[in-house]
C-alpha cells in the first residue's frame, strides 16, 4: 500500500512533508550553516528519500489494517513524528558528511 493513500495527500503535499522532515533532521544533527550545507545537497536528499522509503514499509504495514484513521491529521502528525525519530536515529554516511562539511574525501 502506498503511504500517500494512507495519509490521503497528493504528491505536492507528500513532498512538502518530506522536505519538512529532512530539514528538521539536518537541523537536529548539525548547527546552522552546517545544516544548510546538507539541505542544499542532492546526496543528502537522496539518502533522506531512501531512509523514508524503508520506514514507510513499517508504517504502512501497521496502518493498512486500520483504515478508519487514514487521512486524519493525527495520522499525518504521527507519520511526521515517527519518520523524524527514525531519521534522527540513522547516521548519514560518514564519507558524505565529511566531504560535504570539509570538502575532503577522508572518512571519520
Amino acid at each position: 500500500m502506498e503511504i500517500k493513500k494512507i495519509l490521503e495527500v497528493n504528491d505536492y503535499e507528500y513532498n512538502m512533508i518530506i522536505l519538512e522532515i529532512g530539514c528538521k533532521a539536518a537541523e537536529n544533527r548539525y548547527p546552522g550553516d552546517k545544516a544548510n550545507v546538507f539541505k542544499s545537497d542532492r546526496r543528502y536528499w537522496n539518502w533522506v528519500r531512501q531512509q523514508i522509503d524503508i520506514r514507510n514499509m513499517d508504517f504502512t504495514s501497521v496502518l493498512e489494517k486500520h483504515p478508519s484513521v487514514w487521512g486524519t491529521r493525527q495520522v499525518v502528525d504521527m507519520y511526521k513524528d515517527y519518520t523524524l525519530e527514525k531519521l534522527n536515529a540513522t547516521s548519514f554516511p560518514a564519507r558524505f558528511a565529511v566531504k560535504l562539511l570539509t570538502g575532503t574525501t577522508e572518512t571519520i
Side-chain angles (χ1 to χ4, degrees), residues 23-34:
C23 287
K24 283 183 182 178
E27 291 162 3
N28 289 345
R29 188 164 290 161
Y30 300 101
D33 289 343
K34 290 182 180 181

Side-chain angles (χ1 to χ4, degrees), residues 47-62:
W47 176 80
V48 167
R49 288 273 184 187
Q50 290 170 351
Q51 297 305 311
I52 288 175
D53 288 346
I54 293 166
R55 304 309 180 245
N56 284 351
M57 288 185 269
D58 295 335
F59 196 81
T60 56
S61 68
V62 171

Side-chain angles (χ1 to χ4, degrees), residues 52-88:
I52 288 175
D53 288 346
I54 293 166
R55 304 309 180 245
N56 284 351
M57 288 185 269
D58 295 335
F59 196 81
T60 56
S61 68
V62 171
L63 286 181
E64 67 187 1
K65 300 170 189 141
H66 305 284
S68 63
V69 299
W70 293 4
T72 63
R73 185 69 197 158
Q74 181 183 8
V75 81
V76 172
D77 290 342
M78 185 171 61
Y79 174 75
K80 288 178 181 179
D81 293 342
Y82 169 81
T83 306
L84 180 59
E85 178 184 323
K86 296 299 182 182
L87 201 57
N88 283 336

Side-chain angles (χ1 to χ4, degrees), residues 21 27 57 98-99:
I21 293 168
E27 291 162 3
M57 288 185 269
V98 170
K99 186 173 183 177

